[in-house]
């Protein structure tokens, strides 16, 4: 497969895609990918590349064709662990692309870059490809860009949405929680206080709490991560530490914060870490729409007047060992991004 493969009567540069996927850019390692792309992508193009320090050792990268009115934007980092790419033939002459970042978000990079090159081939300008660091660990690149750059009129953020424009998305709220007990010999539990038992009580209280169902974004959900209690089996736990992460709706966003903070007590320490509020996004006529329950850089890019969210692949395989996307989905996304740019330009 040394030459680009024809999909939808044009081509996707599969060797470039393979090259991107071969780089381990799990969060914290994406600087090398930004440097590679700054060297690799502008070749044979009229675009201008600009690297921007984020402040934590990572880089943002912006490729501009003229003075941008529309920014195609996605992220450089992936979740761990790194998974090497595979390209498998699929029915109908399609290609199934597997590996970490295949859809989240190097597939987005390929679709957006291909759209930019198509627009360039058609003699158009006024667009940019904005690649941000640290999306998977708190949108550090997006925050740095919003602080230091003027932004613009439109940003179209690429995430795996099944090539549908997201009309609304849930918000997020994160809390760092430490529950403290008093250790003692497990044969005499009455002499201490089990942090594990207190943790079970905390979770049961969460499970019993009901939040209103939003008519657009639906139910409120939560997940526990980074759960740790490093006690021997014959000693009562004196501490449980974990991260509580919520997907909130317009109907529950403020209520979630009030509820969790109200669960603090003498042995339950709660630190609010912030998050994003539920959002509505710009959509364009003629494109299918959906609702998203995942986070993205879009809420942090408040220096843009209009924010849209759309890209190839399924969020249901993102972050999983079987992450994959069809090459035809990348081609479809490329064509849609071209249409979006032209439709936005026609409306101005």
């Amino acid at each position: 497969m040394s030459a680009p493969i024809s999909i939808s009567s044009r081509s996707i540069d599969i060797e470039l895609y393979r090259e991107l996927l071969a780089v381990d850019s799990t969060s914290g390692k994406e600087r090398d990918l930004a440097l590679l792309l700054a060297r690799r992508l502008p070749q044979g193009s009229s675009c201008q590349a600009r690297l921007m320090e984020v402040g934590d050792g990572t880089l943002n990268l912006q490729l501009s064709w003229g003075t941008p009115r529309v920014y195609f934007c996605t992220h450089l980092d992936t979740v761990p662990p790194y998974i090497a790419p595979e390209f498998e033939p699929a029915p109908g002459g399609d290609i199934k692309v597997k590996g970490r970042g295949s859809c989240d978000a190097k597939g987005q990079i390929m679709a957006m870059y291909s759209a930019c090159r198509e627009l360039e081939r058609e003699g158009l300008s006024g667009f940019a490809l904005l690649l941000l660091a640290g999306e998977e660990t708190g949108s550090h690149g997006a925050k740095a860009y919003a602080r230091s750059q003027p932004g613009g009129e439109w940003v179209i953020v690429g995430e795996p949405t099944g090539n549908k424009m997201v009309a609304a998305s849930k918000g997020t709220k994160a809390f760092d929680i430490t529950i403290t007990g008093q250790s003692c010999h497990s044969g005499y539990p009455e002499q201490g206080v089990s942090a594990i038992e207190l943790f079970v009580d905390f979770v049961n209280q969460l499970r019993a709490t009901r939040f209103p169902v939003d008519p657009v974004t639906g139910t409120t959900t939560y997940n526990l991560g980074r759960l740790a209690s490093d006690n021997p089996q014959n000693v009562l736990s004196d501490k449980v530490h974990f991260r509580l992460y919520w997907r909130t709706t317009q109907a529950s966003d403020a209520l979630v914060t009030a509820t969790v903070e109200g669960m603090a007590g003498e042995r339950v320490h709660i630190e609010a870490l912030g998050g994003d509020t539920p959002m509505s996004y710009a959509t364009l006529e003629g494109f299918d729409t959906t609702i998203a329950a995942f986070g993205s850089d879009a809420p942090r890019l408040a220096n843009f007047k209009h924010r849209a969210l759309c890209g190839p692949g399924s969020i249901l395989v993102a972050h999983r060992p079987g992450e994959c996307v069809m090459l035809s989905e990348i081609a479809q996304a490329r064509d849609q991004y071209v249409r979006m740019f032209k439709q936005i330009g026609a409306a101005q």
Side-chain angles (χ1 to χ4, degrees):
M1 296 181 185
S2 59
I5 291 180
S6 179
I7 299 287
S8 298
S9 77
R10 282 192 287 268
S11 64
I12 295 293
D13 188 343
I14 200 168
E15 290 307 316
L16 174 59
Y17 196 6
R18 192 191 305 274
E19 188 176 354
L20 302 190
L21 290 169
V23 177
D24 179 357
S25 62
T26 50
S27 297
K29 298 180 179 180
E30 62 265 46
R31 185 184 184 93
D32 287 343
L33 181 60
L35 291 171
L36 169 67
L37 293 173
R39 295 192 305 270
R40 178 73 167 82
L41 295 193
Q43 293 182 8
S45 171
S46 62
C47 78
Q48 298 293 316
R50 181 186 177 197
L51 288 163
M52 295 165 277
E53 293 282 353
V54 172
D56 59 359
T58 63
L59 291 166
N60 291 334
L61 171 63
Q62 181 172 314
L63 304 177
S64 300
W65 285 260
T67 301
R69 304 186 310 275
V70 176
Y71 291 70
F72 300 104
C73 174
T74 191
H75 56 95
L76 293 158
D77 64 322
T78 70
V79 295
Y82 172 72
I83 302 172
E86 297 179 42
F87 291 75
E88 297 180 351
D94 209 339
I95 300 291
K96 185 176 186 178
V97 185
K98 302 165 65 176
R100 182 60 74 222
S102 53
C103 71
D104 189 19
K106 294 175 185 179
Q108 315 297 324
I109 295 175
M110 278 304 305
M112 290 182 160
Y113 177 65
S114 299
C116 289
R117 294 307 301 269
E118 176 62 25
L119 291 169
E120 180 185 36
R121 279 191 290 270
E122 295 183 20
L124 300 172
S125 64
F127 51 90
L129 175 59
L130 177 60
L131 303 177
L132 300 172
E135 188 272 343
E136 301 289 3
T137 55
S139 292
H140 304 297
K143 292 174 185 175
Y145 189 87
R147 286 194 303 267
S148 63
Q149 304 301 318
E153 188 74 12
W154 273 84
V155 63
I156 300 170
V157 176
E159 289 284 353
T161 70
N163 277 329
K164 297 179 180 180
M165 298 193 79
V166 171
S169 68
K170 291 184 177 182
T172 61
K173 289 289 180 291
F175 300 87
D176 196 70
I177 301 177
T178 302
I179 298 177
T180 56
Q182 180 180 334
S183 63
C184 69
H185 193 293
S186 64
Y188 304 89
E190 70 277 5
Q191 299 298 312
V193 178
S194 170
I196 298 294
E197 293 293 335
L198 295 176
F199 168 74
V200 171
D201 292 343
F202 184 93
V203 173
N204 283 338
Q205 186 178 347
L206 275 182
R207 295 178 69 182
T209 304
R210 297 289 178 264
F211 294 95
V213 176
D214 188 89
V216 176
T217 49
T219 59
T220 299
T221 62
Y222 64 86
N223 184 57
L224 275 65
R226 301 184 184 181
L227 178 62
S229 180
D230 191 22
N231 61 297
Q233 64 183 15
N234 58 352
V235 177
L236 260 66
S237 169
D238 65 347
K239 183 171 70 173
V240 175
H241 177 260
F242 59 98
R243 182 71 57 84
L244 178 59
Y245 192 70
W246 293 82
R247 306 287 181 174
T248 65
T249 70
Q250 294 282 4
S252 70
D253 193 63
L255 185 57
V256 162
T257 298
T259 299
V260 174
E261 291 181 346
M263 296 172 70
E266 181 181 355
R267 293 187 177 275
V268 180
H269 175 76
I270 298 176
E271 179 185 359
L273 302 178
D276 299 320
T277 58
M279 281 193 61
S280 297
Y281 294 99
T283 59
L284 295 169
E285 187 176 351
F287 294 89
D288 291 337
T289 61
T290 189
I291 304 298
F294 58 85
S296 73
D297 280 331
R300 301 297 179 180
L301 297 172
N303 51 341
F304 288 89
K305 183 177 180 180
H306 303 288
R307 287 174 278 183
L309 187 62
C310 185
S314 170
I315 195 66
L316 300 181
V317 299
H319 298 194
R320 301 182 68 174
E323 181 178 349
C324 63
V325 68
M326 303 303 292
L327 198 65
S328 58
E329 295 178 76
I330 304 294
Q332 179 189 355
R334 173 206 55 210
D335 294 345
Q336 289 194 160
Y337 292 139
V338 169
R339 285 173 53 206
M340 289 176 190
F341 177 79
K342 293 178 178 178
Q343 192 166 327
I344 291 167
Q348 291 180 340

